Amino acid sequence: MGNEKLPVPVDAAVGLAQSFAVVDTRRLTPLNRMYTVPSIRHTRNHPEQGFSRRTLLRTTSDRVQAPTTSLLSAPDNDPMAPILKPVDRPEGLGDQVYRTLRDYLGSHVIVPGQRLQEALLAIQLGVSRTPVREALARLESEGVIVADGRSFTVPVLSDADVDEIYELRGLLEPAALAQVAASAPGARALASIAAALKQAEAAERAGDADAFIEGNARFHASWHALVANRRLLRAIALSAGHVRYLRVLTLNDAAARKAALAGMKKILAALKARDPERAALVMREHLQVARRHLHDVLDAIVRESTEPSGASVGTGSR
């Protein structure tokens, strides 16, 4: 090999040229054309026979800086060129597994007390263990499942557990909401609460349970952010894990979503009216309705568990 030239596809030539800085890629010919560059060979005694930066950057005209405009934009000198939009990226496999498990929990295919094993879930869902592991970690962070050795378990809540949780919420949340109402929040302070309510309303119209659950959680987080008493807020947060799980358990039911949405509207109206007594009252009513729906869901799970059914996904006996 000496000064002979090798055929190189355009894209390879462009890549080499750009790695050495200045070259105007707009001057390149279509991709079905071929370029030649000197053989990538260099000797100590005869450097001129091999590859050099000077040789690569030599063009038929003066060197110019490489274009910095996005390839997705129409060039200034070509107004007829189409402006392209980035392609939609498909949902990640971990997100798909996460949504699938959430759906199984909400539809009671996976019920309280069942164990979720990573390897078995991967086999039954037809995926590798990595997206399953990601989905389980996400569900645990949300309080929907709990770690149980090397696997996870769906929490078991008895009627007594539910009553205790809602008794505590009944003491804390009406007082906290009354405090927010008494602080006379303005339109700016209430904007995020109103936006979350709109999100929940849109999800309910679309029949999208997951989006409604997200909107409901955002609604409560938004008014929690306005609570001035940080200790009161920390006390409310003690049951946050259970509350997130209960939302998944109950709000997949259309009647429960409708009742929750009515309560959310009343809560926002009381805050806009800056009425502490009204705020406390509507919050107590909201919690009582949620408690009833949760008891109904738990009763339905018990009934379903006594009926013959197929094997649950990724579950085993405790």
Side-chain angles (χ1 to χ4, degrees), residues 21-70:
V22 287
V23 63
D24 189 349
T25 57
R26 289 172 294 188
R27 295 180 180 273
L28 300 180
T29 53
L31 293 181
N32 58 354
R33 297 283 297 275
M34 301 295 290
Y35 274 81
T36 60
V37 296
S39 171
I40 303 177
R41 179 171 177 262
H42 188 278
T43 64
R44 180 176 301 176
N45 296 329
H46 303 283
E48 70 281 357
Q49 293 182 358
F51 179 89
S52 71
R53 171 177 174 145
R54 181 178 302 169
T55 303
L56 180 63
L57 296 183
R58 187 180 298 125
T59 63
T60 58
S61 61
D62 293 335
R63 289 177 290 171
V64 294
Q65 291 292 330
T68 57
T69 56
S70 170

Side-chain angles (χ1 to χ4, degrees), residues 22 111 141 162 191:
V22 287
V111 298
S141 70
V162 171

Side-chain angles (χ1 to χ4, degrees), residues 188-251:
R188 179 176 297 181
L190 297 177
S192 62
I193 304 176
L197 178 58
K198 288 183 179 180
Q199 177 184 348
E201 289 175 325
E204 174 58 16
R205 287 193 298 271
D208 188 336
D210 285 342
F212 185 90
I213 290 170
E214 292 175 5
N216 180 271
R218 181 182 168 195
F219 179 89
H220 287 282
S222 296
W223 76 257
H224 286 175
L226 301 179
V227 177
N229 188 328
R230 298 291 95 182
R231 289 181 174 80
L232 176 57
L233 193 59
R234 283 198 293 271
I236 292 173
L238 290 175
S239 59
H242 280 130
V243 171
R244 285 190 292 267
Y245 169 61
L246 298 180
R247 286 193 185 110
V248 174
L249 205 58
T250 58
L251 294 180

Side-chain angles (χ1 to χ4, degrees), residues 130-146:
T130 298
V132 173
R133 187 179 306 119
E134 293 172 354
L136 292 174
R138 186 172 171 185
L139 291 169
E140 183 193 20
S141 70
E142 295 176 351
V144 177
I145 59 178
V146 294

